[in-house]
Amino acid sequence: MAHVAQPRRPYPLLVAVAIVVALGAATAWAVGDTLGLSHSPAAVPGEEAVAAPARTPAPVPPLTSLVVPDNPRLTKAATAVADAVVFRGRPRPVLAPAGSATTAPGTGTAGGGPPDLSAVRTLRAGVLAALGGTPESYRLDVRGTELAVQGGDVAGVAAGMYQLADRIRSGVEALPPADTGRVVTPRLGLRLTDAGSVGREPDPAAFAAGDDYGLNTDVVASAVLPRAPWVDAAAVARIDAQFRQLVDHSVAQGYNGIVVPGFLEYVTFATVGDGRAVYPPGDPHVDRARAMVTAFGPVFRYAEDMGMKVFLLTDMLAVSPPVEAYLTRTVGGLDVADPRLWAVYQAGLAELFESMPFVDGLMVRIGEGGEVYAGTGWDYSSRLAVTTEASVRAMLRALLDTAGPAGKEIIFRTWTVGVGAVGDLHTNPESYAQVLGGLDDPHLIVSTKYTLGDFYSHLPLNTTLLGGGHRRIVEFQARREFEGFGSLPNDLGPLHRQALRAFLAANANVEGVWNWTQDGGPLRAGPMSLYLRAGFWQLYDLNTYAVGRLAWDPQADPAQVTADWAYRTFSADPGTVAAIGQAMALSRPAVTRGLYIGPYADRSVRALGLEPPPMMWIFEWDIPTGDSAAQDSIYAVTGSRVDEAIQEGTQAVALARRMRDLVAATDPATWRDAELRGRFTATLDYQVDLFETLSAYRTMVLRHAQWLDTGAPAARHDWRRAAAAYQDARDAHRQRYHADLDLPAYNFTAADLGARRADRDPAMAWAARALLASILLVLLLGLRGRGFGAAAARGLLLGALRPWRVAALPTPRTRADRLMVWLVPAVVLVASRLVLTWFAAPAHLLVTLGGWALFALVVRLVVGRRDPFHLWAALGGVALLRSVLLLAALAPRGPGGYWFAFWTAPGLRAAYVTVAFAAFCWLFVVTAVVLRDRYGLRRASAVGLTLTAVGVPLGALSALVSAVGLERALTVWNDQLALLPWGLSRILGITVYLGIPAQLPAYTATAGIALVAVGLLLSLGRE
């Protein structure tokens, strides 16, 4: 017979209530602090783009001969001039060597008036040491029938001829009067480009899936063999041809440096220890590295031959398994503050400079790394290890101490993207000063993106570039990864000029640019466009061309640059060039409205301790997101400007249509290449279609959020109408572009996940109301105290609100009461969680209901053969209490409304989390009370066995998650609930992005086991 204690005074339980409420409040504070949604106005630069007026092409100088010194660089530059003359329809001039590179032509312009280019027949080039300026300075003069190109060095002579070739090819005056006899010097002395598409192939099979999010940019991987001779000679030859093509194109556009990925793959660590300390005898890394140097040294040396500096690019820490093993043996691991670790990399860097002496320096990034950046065919990778101020300074000091004596340079990228203590180095001037302040070295160059974040629009200019005592270069991206990977017209010239002029005016240490022609984002998750080689690369070559021009002269007119690009790329017809210019002038407002939600994007937002990007509704490149966190937060930041945000989408479609009409109206006969005209019109058709689809989607998302916020019937009507429009537009977009490798369809998988759940919100709200009504009937039955199921209802009511009275309840006599006391709470518990998850998240149910079931099973085993009615009354009462809280939150507008309040309403969230967590803790208090009062366990035993009941589900479910893998488990859970961006796990990783330790399930499983052990120890003793 069960022990029945006298009802105890509830005062100790009131203390327990106060404690669990305090715990709930602390949890609510912690949740709010973690989410931390806040926003403020951002200083987004205004963009004013205009088109250049139509112009008549300038006449071509009737050159018949080009007399240049016998020098490979100058011969190449003279060939560019000859090619430009032929491009304009005149006979090719004869190239005539003029002896050594020190030959100086005559100087001075005949007469005092403007140069008469119509009489020019000969171009004569040579070095004039007395010219002054920098080695790249040059001067153009006309003397009678000769056009003189003079430079202070070979570099200046080449630059002058390339400038002349560009003017001829662009249809502008070859030598304007204002430039005659003027010494031209580049404003920025270091003008870097990336490695373009070198080493990548337009493989349809690789691009077809569109979900290869690998970020390795190594240009040599396709030539690597798994065994001797280690490199494929044919692949090396192919890469060599591609590299030469890129170098020639880049030099002609005014660039004088190139950044090539690579470092560890060329190093043997032969000077570390006895030469075999890192790579033991027979280790293939040594022979492969030597083969790589032999094969690719001559390839990359071509850039030096053409006057370009060569920098190798690496993430730090760069590692291979033997390197890691050596560092573990000698340093104790990857201790990036230990000078012994950096001594190893110093040895490798010194070896690199010796084996590849043409390399001018090393560019280092510390903010990204890991397996997603690893190449195929070898085991080189990187680790995110340099994350503190001390480790950054130790790294730079060690590398500079090696580079400086060798006359080389270290370029340090500030791209740290939230990793470690230096996480805001890229965007915070105070952090910049703290980390790099006082680290003065003439061989250190600091490279920084021009935006206050990644290469998005709607971002302020990077304030860290306005100061700092180091040599600085500014990073630009021509093929904008977040804006269609260059598949959309996107003339960035005016914005880039504005940025450069602002930085130069504020910071005298800005001395260069680094333009990305191809890099940024995954290699094969976008259109199959490869710079200079495949797809409509000419579209984003505009931005590369413009950065090269602006780096020489930041005062250059971007509209004129665009017109020059249109003339040299598409047509010599003034009307066609003007129409293209007008279309490109509309490209920025089209992109910034079609791909961004302005009222949100123009705010500086913080959430989850991070700075979400301004394009959060399209998470990473081409995935319109369907998660509630992003969509609800965007709506909350947008505030009262919902109609304006929706109207922007409509405006973007209108702008895209206007662009299409401008280009489509041009006469096909005026285009040099019918294929390029076809590509241009096709990409504009694609832009119209994409913007129509995205406009319909943004309308649906914002109207749904508006209904969640207000419950207004009009908002619901607009949402349902927009949902139908979105479905039609999405289907048409997929049908038209799903198999197009050049203009690929966007991925609407995540959007559809969110839309399907949103569609169920009204039904789920009604289901929640019905469940609440059912619970109310149970409560009324309990208050009435008689009739069918009254004893069970009475027990559940007391279990929820007055557990100290449960022990005194008489044991019911009917089987119905014994059944209902556990069945009703179980049904409500399952049903409420099904409603919370839109009947679409079994993973969530497995964890939550599994936890309830395991807890109930353990305490049922504790009761043994004694009547469990009172136990079920206590547990069931709390289950109903928690379900009532949940259903009350779901009843207004379903799960969507629940999560909307969670993400956007701090007050409501704090109140709910406080009460809900208190009720969660209340379960354990009630369980211990009923075990003590009804089943006669001593206080310590009751508490101990309750802890055991808590520990069992915690340990078991944590072990399950650990076995599955935390990242995979979170991915499945998130895919079903659509709370965070669907692409997060597939691209960055939920655990990595949110900083969740991968070992967390192991920790919680251990905690569960500890609770079980402690509980069992406490339970020992007599009852």
Side-chain angles (χ1 to χ4, degrees):
M1 183 176 182
H3 169 80
V4 180
Q6 292 296 319
R8 300 172 184 267
R9 293 184 178 183
Y11 304 122
L13 287 177
L14 292 178
V15 174
V17 168
I19 292 173
V20 298
V21 170
L23 288 173
T27 302
W29 177 86
V31 170
D33 185 63
T34 300
L35 295 178
L37 177 64
S38 62
H39 54 93
S40 58
V44 179
E47 297 186 47
E48 298 292 335
V50 296
R55 71 182 188 213
T56 301
V60 184
L63 294 170
T64 59
S65 63
L66 309 176
V67 183
V68 299
D70 187 11
N71 175 281
R73 287 177 61 183
L74 300 185
T75 300
K76 183 78 71 171
T79 301
V81 175
D83 290 344
V85 171
V86 173
F87 178 81
R88 292 292 303 278
R90 297 191 65 90
R92 176 177 290 275
V94 176
L95 181 61
S100 71
T102 59
T103 302
T107 61
T109 301
D116 182 11
L117 293 178
S118 64
V120 167
R121 296 293 184 272
T122 301
L123 179 150
R124 188 176 298 275
V127 173
L128 183 65
L131 187 67
T134 70
E136 290 186 300
S137 298
Y138 68 87
R139 179 172 63 191
L140 302 181
D141 268 331
V142 173
R143 289 185 61 84
T145 62
E146 287 191 351
L147 173 60
V149 181
Q150 302 168 320
D153 196 316
V154 170
V157 179
M161 285 194 286
Y162 281 124
Q163 175 64 37
L164 179 64
D166 178 61
R167 288 176 174 174
I168 294 172
R169 189 177 287 269
S170 300
V172 298
E173 194 169 7
L175 183 55
D179 287 349
T180 302
R182 181 174 69 92
V183 176
V184 178
T185 299
R187 177 63 178 84
L188 297 176
L190 186 59
R191 303 175 302 281
L192 301 176
T193 181
D194 66 357
S197 65
V198 174
R200 307 175 195 178
E201 298 304 323
D203 182 351
F207 280 87
D211 58 0
D212 181 352
Y213 296 111
L215 299 173
N216 178 268
T217 58
D218 204 325
V219 302
V220 300
S222 61
V224 177
L225 297 175
R227 57 187 62 85
W230 305 111
V231 290
D232 182 338
V236 172
R238 183 175 64 251
I239 292 170
D240 180 46
Q242 296 169 3
F243 189 76
R244 287 171 178 260
Q245 178 193 30
L246 174 67
V247 168
D248 292 345
H249 187 80
S250 300
V251 169
Q253 289 188 325
Y255 293 90
N256 65 355
I258 189 167
V259 180
V260 181
F263 168 49
L264 213 57
E265 55 265 47
Y266 303 103
V267 174
T268 66
F269 295 103
T271 61
V272 177
D274 63 357
R276 301 177 176 179
V278 176
Y279 295 129
D283 191 305
H285 291 83
V286 174
D287 289 341
R288 180 168 54 202
R290 290 171 178 166
M292 294 285 289
V293 171
T294 301
F296 287 103
V299 174
F300 301 146
R301 189 183 296 117
Y302 178 74
E304 182 191 49
D305 295 341
M306 289 297 105
M308 298 188 81
K309 289 189 173 184
V310 179
F311 291 89
L312 293 189
L313 166 67
T314 185
D315 287 323
M316 277 294 177
L317 285 174
V319 295
S320 65
V323 169
E324 282 200 82
Y326 175 78
L327 294 174
T328 300
R329 292 194 308 270
T330 59
V331 184
L334 301 182
D335 184 356
V336 290
D338 194 320
R340 293 176 297 172
L341 178 143
W342 293 115
V344 176
Y345 288 94
Q346 284 180 292
L349 186 59
E351 177 188 349
L352 176 74
F353 290 150
E354 183 177 348
S355 65
M356 304 175 81
F358 59 86
V359 171
D360 293 279
L362 186 71
M363 179 180 284
V364 178
R365 177 178 69 175
I366 63 171
E368 294 188 51
E371 296 305 318
V372 72
Y373 296 91
T376 57
W378 52 32
D379 54 6
Y380 301 111
S381 61
S382 58
R383 300 284 183 269
L384 286 173
V386 185
T387 58
T388 66
E389 175 188 345
S391 61
V392 170
R393 296 177 73 90
M395 176 191 71
L396 291 177
R397 189 68 273 158
L399 297 179
L400 287 166
D401 286 347
T402 302
K408 310 295 185 178
E409 294 170 318
I410 298 297
I411 302 178
F412 174 59
R413 294 193 61 206
T414 62
W415 184 244
T416 47
V417 294
V419 177
V422 294
D424 61 350
L425 176 65
H426 182 68
T427 56
N428 188 338
E430 294 180 1
S431 296
Y432 182 97
Q434 179 180 345
V435 175
L436 298 177
L439 190 62
D440 300 323
D441 193 299
H443 299 281
L444 174 63
I445 302 173
V446 180
S447 180
T448 304
K449 292 181 181 180
Y450 84 95
T451 49
L452 205 65
D454 212 338
F455 288 120
Y456 292 97
S457 300
H458 291 272
L459 282 176
L461 299 181
N462 198 327
T463 50
T464 69
L465 277 162
L466 300 175
H470 308 92
R471 300 166 63 190
R472 305 296 296 274
I473 59 175
V474 185
E475 299 177 14
F476 296 101
Q477 186 181 51
R479 184 180 184 257
R480 294 279 277 216
E481 60 184 290
F482 299 107
E483 295 168 359
F485 285 104
S487 64
L488 304 177
N490 202 356
D491 186 351
L492 296 162
L495 180 59
H496 286 171
R497 185 180 75 157
Q498 181 182 170
L500 266 182
R501 293 173 68 175
F503 300 143
L504 289 169
N507 188 352
N509 295 312
V510 173
E511 64 174 57
V513 297
W514 180 27
N515 179 70
W516 302 6
T517 64
Q518 181 80 27
D519 281 353
L523 307 187
R524 290 173 290 274
M528 195 173 68
S529 60
L530 300 177
Y531 189 58
L532 304 182
R533 297 170 47 229
F536 194 22
W537 59 266
Q538 292 87 352
L539 194 60
Y540 54 89
D541 187 45
L542 164 62
N543 295 323
T544 295
Y545 177 64
V547 168
R549 290 270 298 265
L550 291 169
W552 271 82
D553 179 14
Q555 306 304 319
D557 179 7
Q560 184 63 51
V561 171
T562 300
D564 293 349
W565 162 80
Y567 184 96
R568 59 188 289 126
T569 306
F570 301 114
S571 174
D573 178 69
T576 297
V577 170
I580 294 173
Q582 292 167 16
M584 298 306 292
L586 298 174
S587 65
R588 288 298 293 159
V591 164
T592 56
R593 296 176 193 180
L595 297 181
Y596 297 85
I597 298 175
Y600 166 82
D602 286 338
R603 309 285 291 182
S604 176
V605 181
R606 291 195 65 87
L608 292 172
L610 304 168
E611 298 183 37
M615 194 196 282
M616 196 63 193
W617 72 304
I618 303 175
F619 185 83
E620 303 300 73
W621 308 301
D622 64 348
I623 306 175
T625 190
D627 64 285
S628 60
Q631 293 179 351
D632 294 345
S633 297
I634 289 171
Y635 171 84
V637 173
T638 299
S640 61
R641 301 169 64 189
V642 173
D643 291 343
E644 176 186 340
I646 291 172
Q647 187 60 31
E648 275 191 354
T650 305
Q651 293 169 357
V653 173
L655 287 168
R657 287 175 176 161
R658 174 61 180 154
M659 294 166 63
R660 180 188 61 189
D661 293 344
L662 282 167
V663 176
T666 60
D667 184 353
T670 63
W671 289 66
R672 294 193 188 92
D673 189 330
E675 181 182 356
L676 286 182
R677 185 180 188 276
R679 286 187 179 276
F680 212 140
T681 55
T683 201
L684 290 169
D685 286 337
Y686 171 76
Q687 183 173 26
V688 171
D689 184 274
L690 175 64
F691 284 5
E692 286 176 339
T693 308
L694 291 177
S695 177
Y697 182 63
R698 90 162 66 193
T699 304
M700 178 186 72
V701 166
L702 291 174
R703 291 304 185 197
H704 174 245
Q706 189 175 46
W707 174 71
L708 295 177
D709 180 28
T710 66
R716 179 176 177 179
H717 174 267
D718 292 342
W719 159 43
R720 300 312 303 153
R721 185 174 60 182
Y726 158 69
Q727 291 167 9
D728 291 342
R730 174 207 60 202
D731 291 344
H733 179 73
R734 283 175 173 165
Q735 177 67 27
R736 187 172 183 180
Y737 294 107
H738 77 282
D740 195 325
L741 297 181
D742 295 323
L743 301 168
Y746 268 40
N747 184 344
F748 287 94
T749 301
D752 291 343
L753 285 172
R756 285 196 293 268
R757 280 146 185 77
D759 288 342
R760 298 183 184 183
D761 275 334
M764 295 301 101
W766 280 109
R769 296 164 194 165
L771 284 171
L772 281 174
S774 301
I775 296 172
L776 179 61
L777 291 176
V778 172
L779 295 179
L780 292 175
L781 186 60
L783 291 173
R784 185 166 180 263
R786 61 181 183 274
F788 178 81
R794 175 69 173 168
L796 292 170
L797 183 60
L798 291 178
L801 302 176
R802 304 173 70 189
W804 61 90
R805 299 293 299 272
V806 170
L809 280 174
T811 302
R813 298 178 180 178
T814 66
R815 185 171 183 179
D817 284 309
R818 295 176 182 277
L819 181 64
M820 288 180 61
V821 77
W822 66 265
L823 182 59
V824 168
V827 169
V828 171
L829 193 67
V830 172
S832 61
R833 272 60 186 179
L834 284 169
V835 171
L836 171 65
T837 59
W838 298 277
F839 285 74
H844 185 80
L845 298 180
L846 174 64
V847 174
T848 55
L849 299 181
W852 275 96
L854 287 173
F855 181 85
L857 175 62
V858 173
V859 293
R860 178 63 184 88
L861 292 174
V862 169
V863 170
R865 295 186 176 183
R866 288 167 287 190
D867 192 318
F869 174 83
H870 298 81
L871 175 68
W872 296 141
L875 268 62
V878 177
L880 285 180
L881 177 63
R882 294 206 68 235
S883 297
V884 166
L885 291 171
L886 175 61
L887 292 169
L890 296 172
R893 282 175 284 282
Y898 173 94
W899 289 110
F900 179 88
F902 182 82
W903 299 121
T904 68
L908 288 175
R909 179 182 63 231
Y912 179 82
V913 171
T914 298
V915 176
F917 191 79
F920 170 73
C921 296
W922 186 239
L923 171 66
F924 312 134
V925 174
V926 168
T927 301
V929 167
V930 76
L931 290 177
R932 181 194 64 182
D933 291 353
R934 178 65 192 182
Y935 298 102
L937 274 66
R938 62 189 181 90
R939 187 188 304 271
S941 294
V943 172
L945 291 172
T946 301
L947 289 177
T948 299
V950 174
V952 168
L954 179 62
L957 294 173
S958 296
L960 174 63
V961 172
S962 183
V964 172
L966 181 59
E967 182 65 37
R968 182 181 176 189
L970 287 176
T971 298
V972 172
W973 173 79
N974 187 57
D975 285 354
Q976 295 175 1
L977 282 176
L979 301 183
L980 300 172
W982 176 84
L984 190 59
S985 66
R986 291 157 178 83
I987 299 169
L988 302 174
I990 296 175
T991 55
V992 173
Y993 189 74
L994 298 182
I996 303 172
Q999 299 80 15
L1000 182 61
Y1003 298 153
T1004 55
T1006 302
I1009 294 171
L1011 284 175
V1012 171
V1014 171
L1016 291 176
L1017 287 174
L1018 283 175
S1019 68
L1020 297 178
R1022 293 182 300 172
E1023 294 185 5

